[in-house]
Amino acid sequence: MKEFELINRFFTGRGITRRDVDLGIGDDCALVTIPEGCQLAVTTDTLVEGVHFFSDISPKALGHRILAVNLSDLAAMGAEPAWISIGLTLPNVDETWLEQFTEGMHDIAEYYNVQLIGGDTTQGPLTITVCAKGIVPKGKALTRSGAKVGDWLYVTGDLGDAALAIEARKQGWELSDEDRSYVQKKFDYPAPQVAAGQVLRGLANSAIDISDGLLADLNHILTHSGVGATIHADKVPVSNALKNLPDEEVRLMLAMAYGDDYQLLFTVPDSNRVAVEKRLAEYGVTPTCIGQINANAGDVSLLYKDKPWPFPATGFEHFS
Amino acid sequence: MKEFELINRFFTGRGITRRDVDLGIGDDCALVTIPEGCQLAVTTDTLVEGVHFFSDISPKALGHRILAVNLSDLAAMGAEPAWISIGLTLPNVDETWLEQFTEGMHDIAEYYNVQLIGGDTTQGPLTITVCAKGIVPKGKALTRSGAKVGDWLYVTGDLGDAALAIEARKQGWELSDEDRSYVQKKFDYPAPQVAAGQVLRGLANSAIDISDGLLADLNHILTHSGVGATIHADKVPVSNALKNLPDEEVRLMLAMAYGDDYQLLFTVPDSNRVAVEKRLAEYGVTPTCIGQINANAGDVSLLYKDKPWPFPATGFEHFS
């Protein structure tokens, strides 16, 4: 296991240094200070080779991804990301791989002002668990349980691109070089909506990040809030790359029932719609209203061009 | 992956509920409150099947162990354990296994007043990462870097029992039923020295938990503190089970160069010796003085009955 100690050099002394880290990597624990009047937000995500990513994923993209999926959870609560700990299990010490993996990790950590404060590296099948910690003013966090009847349903950006990247590869779909490159980048380097999440504090009634797919994650909000929703499938924002797919049912499946988008889905009372759109625009985010919350607890009414639209169950056969 | 969602029932709604957990399992993040004037202490440990434990380990012992190793790191900093997050990767959903694993986990969590606040469960090779969080009064944490020349070196309890459990099995050593049962229990259910760690705040100058072996962990203190040490090998406390091993070199190897003991190694200025021994006794802990810190940076002088004792390098051959 000696060589596994060596890999600490890929993690120690790199990345940013936050002033609220009193003791970083190197002792039995790290020590950090939470600002007065704030709560600590904590989330954990694991990525396993062959389950969450193909074995030939770029190590840099993987380093980015493990942080992105965790920061996305902090974003969904309106928390400011601060510190991460990593449990990294590797089959062997491949210095080139580690250099690229940590480069991807440190790049996104630096972008979001996040410091690695500790972890554990062990030998075994490739598995990565990150525990991300953030801070949020006390009582101001966004949750899944705050949606109110009449709230408007929004998403922060295009859905379905990561799904298209995966399925094009699995199904052997023909994509233009430009589209393939575009969706692959969306899959490889998801951008957690960290600024948007913080902007939405005090304006949105509820929020969640879209990791399991629009409909699945919407269902979490509905269940936790005890409400229902109407969704306009034709209003779900999609990229030009996805629009270039000929089969509309497949397009809608990818955009609504897939996942890995890491956009935020959130609900806004009518009185805050203008403020939300204006404040998000200041951060370059153009939210799209795709529906509304209603009182039919747990029920989703899907509309297409204002007509009831039965979700194509057969659509799933594309992915069997 | 549907069945993996079902296993949440083994984790949700069980265990203790702390008043400082504002939002537990079930949203994108958990939310907790740190008391004013305290720092957050964070540690992460991973256990991998075949690397850190035999495949036939009792699931209950494994559930205990993954928390114990993390709580031991909090203890070494003098922190009060508070919350844990778990990344659990399992090859399949075995309800009996999960019931026992979570029982072991919840039992120790309850004992130490620790609440599970979140995690991620995925399919893959058996790998467990826990990120444990604790609180410590600001500026009062124990570290590896505070040892001073003249400090007395102490350990909180017997060393080498876990090592004996492992090696007896690997080497086929004959042990009495009583001894075998005793050391197996020490290995299976390590007891992190949580109370001792908190007692030592303000009294000890440095501390570390013995996870890699006495000499290896002592070396961390010496390196971080820029000091050296004298150790009396014959004063290292060992159990009757270990004393029953005929070969003294092997006994000392197991006690000093192995690990998995999860006792604390700490250094105390002369002025605090009486207070340390008295305060620890109130918690049923009898510390043993095994040596002293000196100015020979990075150097360890091993003595046996007050005479220089060359550590038996050949001893390692027992374990090849």
Side-chain angles (χ1 to χ4, degrees):
Chain A
M1 297 294 291
K2 206 70 188 169
E3 63 177 343
F4 270 78
E5 292 166 21
L6 296 177
I7 76 170
N8 286 333
R9 73 182 162 90
F10 291 99
F11 295 96
T12 310
R14 284 181 62 181
I16 62 147
T17 306
R18 289 175 60 101
R19 290 182 59 187
D20 52 16
V21 176
D22 305 308
L23 187 63
I25 296 173
D27 214 303
D28 289 293
C29 296
L31 296 171
V32 299
T33 297
I34 317 286
E36 264 186 55
C38 283
Q39 288 165 299
L40 177 73
V42 180
T43 183
T44 304
D45 274 292
T46 298
L47 297 181
V48 181
E49 182 174 9
V51 178
H52 301 94
F53 56 89
F54 294 114
S55 299
D56 63 354
I57 190 173
S58 130
K60 189 174 171 184
L62 185 60
H64 176 99
R65 185 173 202 78
I66 185 61
L67 254 67
V69 301
N70 274 281
L71 299 185
S72 183
D73 285 320
L74 290 173
M77 303 292 284
E80 177 193 329
W83 317 289
I84 55 157
S85 313
I86 186 166
L88 178 61
T89 303
L90 293 172
N92 52 58
V93 175
D94 175 336
E95 298 209 5
T96 306
W97 191 96
L98 270 164
E99 182 57 50
Q100 291 171 11
F101 174 81
T102 50
E103 186 186 339
M105 207 185 80
H106 289 304
D107 281 356
I108 181 174
E110 185 172 5
Y111 183 82
Y112 289 105
N113 195 29
V114 171
Q115 184 173 343
L116 177 70
I117 56 169
D120 194 10
T121 313
T122 54
Q123 188 170 21
L126 183 53
T127 308
I128 316 166
T129 293
V130 159
C131 179
K133 276 79 70 176
I135 50 184
V136 61
K138 191 155 178 72
K140 301 292 185 196
L142 300 165
T143 65
R144 304 174 173 190
S145 56
K148 301 277 185 302
V149 174
D151 279 3
W152 297 96
L153 259 173
Y154 280 89
V155 291
T156 47
D158 292 342
L159 302 183
D161 287 330
L164 178 54
I166 297 170
E167 288 302 322
R169 175 169 164 168
K170 282 193 188 166
Q171 314 289 342
W173 293 339
E174 294 281 336
L175 300 187
S176 71
D177 287 350
E178 190 187 349
D179 287 350
R180 184 177 301 277
S181 159
Y182 179 80
V183 297
Q184 189 62 43
K185 200 172 166 205
K186 289 286 286 287
F187 177 79
D188 280 345
Y189 294 95
Q193 297 295 306
V194 169
Q198 291 173 69
V199 163
L200 291 172
R201 288 195 316 240
L203 294 174
N205 277 337
S206 68
I208 194 170
D209 73 319
I210 302 177
S211 52
D212 298 336
L214 172 64
L215 294 177
D217 289 310
L218 171 62
N219 196 48
H220 291 311
I221 286 185
L222 302 186
T223 305
H224 282 71
S225 301
V227 294
T230 301
I231 297 278
H232 297 270
D234 51 302
K235 291 189 180 168
V236 173
V238 295
S239 68
N240 287 329
L242 192 59
K243 282 179 189 156
N244 286 339
L245 263 198
D247 185 331
E248 181 162 38
E249 275 200 3
V250 173
R251 284 207 301 272
L252 289 169
M253 284 292 300
L254 295 177
M256 299 175 69
Y258 217 92
D260 284 329
D261 293 308
Y262 303 106
Q263 298 291 344
L264 297 184
L265 170 68
F266 57 97
T267 77
V268 178
D270 199 63
S271 56
N272 288 345
R273 290 186 74 174
V274 174
V276 160
E277 295 183 9
K278 182 167 170 293
R279 291 291 318 282
L280 285 179
E282 291 167 11
Y283 287 87
V285 176
T286 308
T288 303
C289 182
I290 59 167
Q292 194 171 20
I293 298 295
N294 61 41
N296 304 323
D299 183 63
V300 178
S301 301
L302 271 176
L303 302 177
Y304 184 84
K305 295 189 176 166
D306 294 326
K307 294 203 175 112
W309 183 64
F311 191 76
T314 55
F316 282 103
E317 290 168 15
H318 288 283
F319 310 108
S320 62
Chain B
M1 297 294 292
K2 207 69 188 171
E3 63 178 342
F4 270 78
E5 293 166 20
L6 296 177
I7 75 168
N8 287 332
R9 72 184 163 86
F10 292 99
F11 295 95
T12 310
R14 285 180 60 181
I16 63 147
T17 305
R18 289 175 60 100
R19 290 182 59 187
D20 52 16
V21 176
D22 305 307
L23 187 63
I25 295 175
D27 214 304
D28 290 293
C29 295
L31 296 171
V32 299
T33 297
I34 317 287
E36 265 186 54
C38 283
Q39 288 165 299
L40 177 73
V42 180
T43 182
T44 304
D45 273 292
T46 299
L47 297 181
V48 181
E49 182 174 10
V51 178
H52 302 94
F53 56 90
F54 294 115
S55 299
D56 63 355
I57 190 173
S58 131
K60 189 174 172 185
L62 185 59
H64 175 99
R65 185 174 202 77
I66 184 62
L67 254 67
V69 300
N70 275 281
L71 299 185
S72 183
D73 284 320
L74 290 172
M77 302 292 284
E80 176 193 332
W83 316 288
I84 55 155
S85 313
I86 187 167
L88 177 61
T89 304
L90 294 171
N92 52 58
V93 176
D94 175 337
E95 298 208 6
T96 307
W97 191 95
L98 269 164
E99 183 56 52
Q100 292 171 12
F101 174 81
T102 50
E103 186 187 341
M105 206 184 81
H106 289 304
D107 281 355
I108 181 174
E110 186 172 3
Y111 183 82
Y112 290 105
N113 195 31
V114 170
Q115 184 172 342
L116 177 69
I117 56 169
D120 193 10
T121 314
T122 53
Q123 188 170 20
L126 183 53
T127 307
I128 317 166
T129 293
V130 159
C131 179
K133 275 79 68 176
I135 49 185
V136 61
K138 191 154 178 76
K140 301 293 183 196
L142 300 166
T143 65
R144 305 174 173 190
S145 56
K148 302 277 187 299
V149 174
D151 279 4
W152 297 97
L153 258 173
Y154 280 90
V155 291
T156 48
D158 292 342
L159 302 184
D161 287 331
L164 177 54
I166 298 170
E167 288 303 322
R169 175 169 166 168
K170 281 193 188 167
Q171 315 289 342
W173 293 340
E174 295 281 337
L175 300 187
S176 72
D177 288 349
E178 190 187 348
D179 287 349
R180 184 178 300 278
S181 160
Y182 178 80
V183 297
Q184 189 63 43
K185 200 171 167 209
K186 289 285 288 285
F187 177 78
D188 279 346
Y189 295 95
Q193 297 296 306
V194 168
Q198 290 172 69
V199 164
L200 291 173
R201 288 194 316 240
L203 294 174
N205 278 337
S206 68
I208 193 169
D209 73 319
I210 302 179
S211 53
D212 297 336
L214 173 63
L215 294 177
D217 289 310
L218 170 62
N219 196 47
H220 291 311
I221 287 185
L222 302 186
T223 305
H224 282 70
S225 301
V227 294
T230 300
I231 297 278
H232 296 270
D234 52 301
K235 292 189 179 166
V236 173
V238 295
S239 68
N240 288 329
L242 193 59
K243 282 179 189 155
N244 287 338
L245 261 198
D247 185 331
E248 182 162 37
E249 273 201 5
V250 172
R251 284 209 300 273
L252 290 169
M253 283 294 298
L254 294 177
M256 299 176 69
Y258 217 92
D260 284 328
D261 293 307
Y262 303 107
Q263 299 290 345
L264 297 184
L265 170 68
F266 57 98
T267 77
V268 178
D270 199 63
S271 56
N272 289 345
R273 290 185 75 173
V274 174
V276 160
E277 294 183 10
K278 183 167 171 292
R279 291 290 318 281
L280 284 178
E282 292 167 12
Y283 289 86
V285 176
T286 308
T288 305
C289 183
I290 60 167
Q292 194 171 20
I293 298 295
N294 61 39
N296 304 324
D299 183 63
V300 177
S301 300
L302 271 176
L303 303 177
Y304 185 84
K305 296 189 177 166
D306 293 326
K307 293 201 176 115
W309 183 63
F311 192 76
T314 55
F316 282 104
E317 289 167 16
H318 289 281
F319 310 107
S320 62

